[in-house]
Amino acid sequence: MSGAGDLVSVVVPVYDGAHLVGRALASIAAQTHPAIETIAVDDGSTDDSAAVVEAWPGGATLVRQANAGVAAARNAGVAVATGEYLAFLDQDDVRLPEKLRRQVDRLSSDGETDVVLVRQRPVIEEGVEPLATLRPDRVYGDLGGVIPTTLMVRRETFHRVGPFAEDFTGRDDLDWLLRARVAGLGIAVIDEVLMERHVHADNQTRGIDWMQVMLDTVTRRVAERRGQEPGG
């Protein structure tokens, strides 16, 4: 079972999210797991995002950088993390209270599991069209709300796989997960909704067919790493 010594570092990339990030930080503060380090990385925001983080009463480490994309922001957060475990939360999403505890319990009790994901549910604002990324995956079908950024991984395992690919920003999380699979890591899914993905008019993936983009570009990247031609 998880304990106070199982420190989880939660990395929150923030870009022009002053009106959103407080909700994400509140969901971290509401976790039942007792040991959490919150790291918010302001990716060159033009609004008051950094000020919101600095004023957050629950306490969060703020890292500032020039705008370089979400992958670079995640990597910057990992670089200062001190926890045994790493987890990630986008500025407009929310984790349910048991998420981190359940994932730590799984990693600490199952020697064959290196990465743990959870299920999510979309929360769609009134009058907003669902995202294209919420459609069933073209290869695996209905994933039941599992996305790469729900993951938790031991920090040393993360470094074995390597950082998020900054030239793949926006689909860097899926690229990382596929690299983890190619490396032979054990990847498990807790069959329970422990995250909420908030769908609103300002989602950065809106209007883009990311499912096809991810399939094409990430498949090519993984094939290159394995020394194969795509489709070979």
Side-chain angles (χ1 to χ4, degrees):
M1 299 296 289
S2 58
D6 299 320
L7 181 63
V8 178
S9 298
V10 181
V11 176
V12 184
V14 184
Y15 178 71
D16 286 353
H19 60 304
L20 297 168
V21 70
R23 181 176 61 190
L25 295 175
S27 77
I28 298 172
Q31 292 294 297
T32 59
H33 183 72
I36 300 172
E37 171 186 62
T38 303
I39 303 167
V41 182
D42 183 67
D43 185 37
S45 295
T46 61
D47 66 0
D48 293 329
S49 293
V52 171
V53 173
E54 288 182 315
W56 178 246
T61 298
L62 174 65
V63 177
R64 299 173 186 260
Q65 66 177 28
N67 181 250
V70 66
R74 289 175 180 142
N75 288 336
V78 170
V80 301
T82 63
E84 180 180 355
Y85 302 99
L86 293 173
F88 302 88
L89 179 65
D90 288 344
Q91 66 184 15
D92 49 2
D93 294 336
V94 168
R95 56 190 34 173
L96 302 185
E98 290 291 304
K99 177 184 183 289
L100 296 184
R101 185 185 67 78
R102 294 288 304 280
Q103 288 181 294
V104 170
D105 285 349
R106 180 63 180 267
L107 284 171
S108 62
S109 63
D110 183 354
E112 296 184 358
T113 295
D114 302 294
V115 180
V116 180
L117 301 101
V118 304
R119 297 193 181 278
Q120 59 150 7
R121 63 170 169 250
V123 178
I124 303 174
E125 291 187 2
E126 185 175 356
V128 172
E129 289 292 324
L131 295 172
T133 49
L134 295 178
R135 295 199 302 265
D137 186 86
R138 294 177 188 268
V139 175
Y140 298 107
D142 186 0
L143 297 180
V146 177
I147 59 172
T149 45
T150 68
L151 70 81
M152 179 183 285
V153 61
R154 292 181 184 85
R155 185 157 54 98
E156 58 89 13
T157 304
F158 178 89
H159 288 302
R160 282 198 347 245
V161 176
F164 292 104
E166 296 182 11
D167 59 333
F168 265 40
T169 194
R171 52 202 187 272
D172 53 288
D173 54 345
L174 179 59
D175 174 67
W176 189 93
L177 191 62
L178 288 175
R179 282 189 281 140
R181 186 171 294 280
V182 169
L185 270 62
I187 300 172
V189 176
I190 296 175
D191 192 19
E192 184 177 345
V193 172
L194 293 169
M195 287 277 296
E196 290 182 346
R197 185 178 187 188
H198 285 255
V199 179
H200 50 88
D202 298 325
N203 286 113
Q204 294 183 20
T205 55
R206 182 164 299 283
I208 301 174
D209 186 357
W210 282 112
M211 301 306 289
Q212 186 62 52
V213 171
M214 287 179 180
L215 181 62
D216 292 345
T217 58
V218 177
T219 298
R220 180 173 294 276
R221 174 62 65 86
V222 172
E224 289 171 353
R225 290 193 175 109
R226 300 177 70 177
Q228 302 173 349
E229 289 298 321

